[in-house]
Amino acid sequence: MTTRHTVEMGGQTISWLQSGRGRTLILLHGFPLHAGMWDALHATTPHGWTLVTPDLRNFGESRGTPALSVDDHAGDVLALLRHLGCEDAVIGGLSMGGYITLAVHRMAPQRCRALVLADTRAEPDTDEAKANRVRLQATARERGPGAVLEAMLPKLIGPTAQAGVIPEQLRAIARINTAEGIVDGLEVLKTRPDARPDLAAITCPTLVVVGADDALTPPSSAETLRDGIAGAQLVVVPDAGHMSNLEQPVPFALALWSFLR
Ligand code: MLT
């Protein structure tokens, strides 16, 4: 059974979905989405595991002061771990969720039992990418979160998924977000640090997953993660773009659950 929980921590109201019972796996969502992108995974949470999927601050149902850096969100994740009474957990995320996972590890490596880095990268934004974030911030202010999703959609999913139901699923998720949350989220993406110098310090087991057709965080970025993290395991999901968990839910879940085993 999947249940929703909400708690106030240090002035922030953080909401999450939880299923299963046992060791904790926290998965962080991508941009411009919320925890709803992990819904299908809750139905497959294996015996012995608790899956926790939070809405990051000012996404989905979580609210608080503006979160303007990966470290702000990482602080929320660490506060949530304390609230759940976990010494450590498997922490992971897709894309923006992966950027924040790397920040959690940088801030508190002892809290990371293992990492899952899906369709994400250690490289910071290029100048061109930063300029695009600023344009999208204007789009969010003028036309709302839905328009940001539409602008990103061609690169957010692979060619096969463009024709199916996933665009509508993503629209339904993105609709719930606020323009303010999206503007702040773009600031988080734009200002995130270069995480490449931190990779050598990661010694916990790490799974790197990437859609073979990911146009936003391509397999070459996943290889940089795999090569920088000792012992990291890379799974390339065929026929999937950036949203590999939504585009190919069964291969994604198999890779994740066999890694945890
Ligand atoms: C995401 O999926 O979180 C975003 O596409 C990340 C990005 O644009 O860098």
Side-chain angles (χ1 to χ4, degrees):
M1 190 174 65
T2 308
T3 49
R4 181 165 284 281
H5 304 255
T6 302
V7 69
E8 193 168 330
M9 304 177 302
Q12 323 301 342
T13 303
I14 300 297
S15 179
W16 70 95
L17 289 171
Q18 185 168 325
S19 59
R21 197 165 180 177
R23 289 202 279 173
T24 301
L25 164 65
I26 297 186
L27 287 180
L28 308 173
H29 61 82
F31 178 91
L33 306 171
H34 57 64
M37 64 166 281
W38 300 117
D39 277 0
L41 206 54
H42 280 283
T44 69
T45 305
H47 184 70
W49 286 91
T50 301
L51 173 60
V52 172
T53 55
D55 286 332
L56 293 163
R57 197 195 312 172
N58 295 325
F59 290 89
E61 298 192 16
S62 292
R63 290 289 171 270
T65 54
L68 299 174
S69 67
V70 285
D71 289 17
D72 287 344
H73 287 300
D76 289 347
V77 173
L78 291 169
L80 179 58
L81 265 184
R82 284 192 293 276
H83 171 79
L84 294 170
C86 297
E87 286 284 311
D88 61 18
V90 180
I91 301 177
L94 185 138
S95 197
M96 175 175 74
Y99 308 155
I100 296 165
T101 298
L102 290 168
V104 171
H105 185 276
R106 170 169 42 77
M107 289 164 68
Q110 75 284 5
R111 299 290 209 156
C112 301
R113 173 80 188 80
L115 300 182
V116 178
L117 301 169
D119 298 280
T120 193
R121 63 188 155 187
E123 304 92 311
D125 268 10
T126 59
D127 288 345
E128 189 190 340
K130 285 182 185 170
N132 193 42
R133 306 288 193 201
V134 174
R135 279 193 291 275
L136 283 176
Q137 284 176 318
T139 303
R141 285 191 193 98
E142 288 157 20
R143 294 164 42 219
V148 172
L149 191 267
E150 293 305 328
M152 294 180 69
L153 208 45
K155 285 192 167 174
L156 216 45
I157 50 179
T160 311
Q162 295 285 351
V165 295
I166 293 176
E168 218 28 67
Q169 255 180 288
L170 293 174
R171 286 185 186 107
I173 294 175
R175 248 197 305 271
I176 312 251
N177 288 326
T178 63
E180 295 76 20
I182 293 299
V183 169
D184 293 350
L186 286 158
E187 201 59 29
V188 169
L189 298 174
K190 178 160 67 91
T191 59
R192 73 182 193 281
D194 186 351
R196 286 171 294 187
D198 304 328
L199 297 182
I202 301 176
T203 54
C204 61
T206 299
L207 172 67
V208 181
V209 186
V210 67
D213 306 322
D214 188 335
L216 274 176
T217 52
S220 58
S221 290
E223 285 163 14
T224 299
L225 289 167
R226 185 220 30 215
D227 295 345
I229 302 171
Q233 173 190 338
L234 171 62
V235 174
V236 180
V237 181
D239 208 17
H242 187 58
M243 291 282 130
S244 60
N245 73 305
L246 290 173
E247 296 178 55
Q248 293 294 345
V250 174
F252 185 95
L254 281 175
L256 177 62
W257 301 141
S258 49
F259 169 70
L260 294 185
R261 246 200 323 267

